[in-house]
Amino acid sequence: MTVKDTQAMIAGMTPIIVPGDWVFCSVTGTDTIPPDAFAVIQEAEGTTLILPEETAKADGYQSSAVMQLITLQVNSDLEGVGLTAAVATALAAQDIPCNVVAGYHHDHIFVPKTQAGIAYATLLDVQNAAN
């Protein structure tokens, strides 16, 4: 069952740190998409791949800084309002950049690996404050 109410989404977000190091890469043309890509995003300028760092290195992709993935376990409704804003606002207050990728069932937050611990604690604080 999906959760659409803003307060309920925040109260139930239950973040988890997903093991592994992730990077964002941009490719053009007919590059092969690695099977372990977390996401593939088509843009006018090229295709963005979110890949395990080891895959990006092995395949010779230019990549972003190393990111940590935090998944919000709440089954948020795609038409729910406010969860992304609450997450981004809380992380911005800690000077932590975040890149949010929403899947059908969950929201996935990519933060710099060096700030993942603080980001995780911040999200737990936001969740606890909503309960």
Side-chain angles (χ1 to χ4, degrees), residues 1-110:
M1 178 175 187
T2 62
V3 179
K4 191 172 183 177
D5 174 74
T6 302
Q7 191 72 15
M9 285 189 296
I10 296 168
M13 63 183 177
T14 314
I16 59 167
I17 295 179
V18 177
D21 296 334
W22 299 89
V23 293
F24 286 62
C25 307
S26 181
V27 299
T28 57
T30 58
D31 291 284
T32 302
I33 298 171
D36 57 352
F38 180 85
V40 178
I41 303 164
Q42 302 289 333
E43 300 177 290
E45 301 83 0
T47 301
T48 298
L49 304 176
I50 304 175
L51 299 174
E53 180 186 27
E54 62 189 36
T55 298
K57 282 184 180 180
D59 291 349
Y61 290 117
Q62 295 273 350
S63 62
S64 68
V66 178
M67 309 293 271
Q68 183 75 57
L69 170 57
I70 300 173
T71 293
L72 306 181
Q73 295 185 87
V74 65
N75 193 354
S76 55
D77 192 295
L78 291 170
E79 293 181 350
V81 175
L83 179 60
T84 301
V87 166
T89 299
L91 294 177
Q94 296 294 323
D95 201 30
I96 300 172
C98 68
N99 294 277
V100 179
V101 177
Y104 187 84
H105 299 284
H106 304 287
D107 293 87
H108 308 277
I109 318 299
F110 289 89

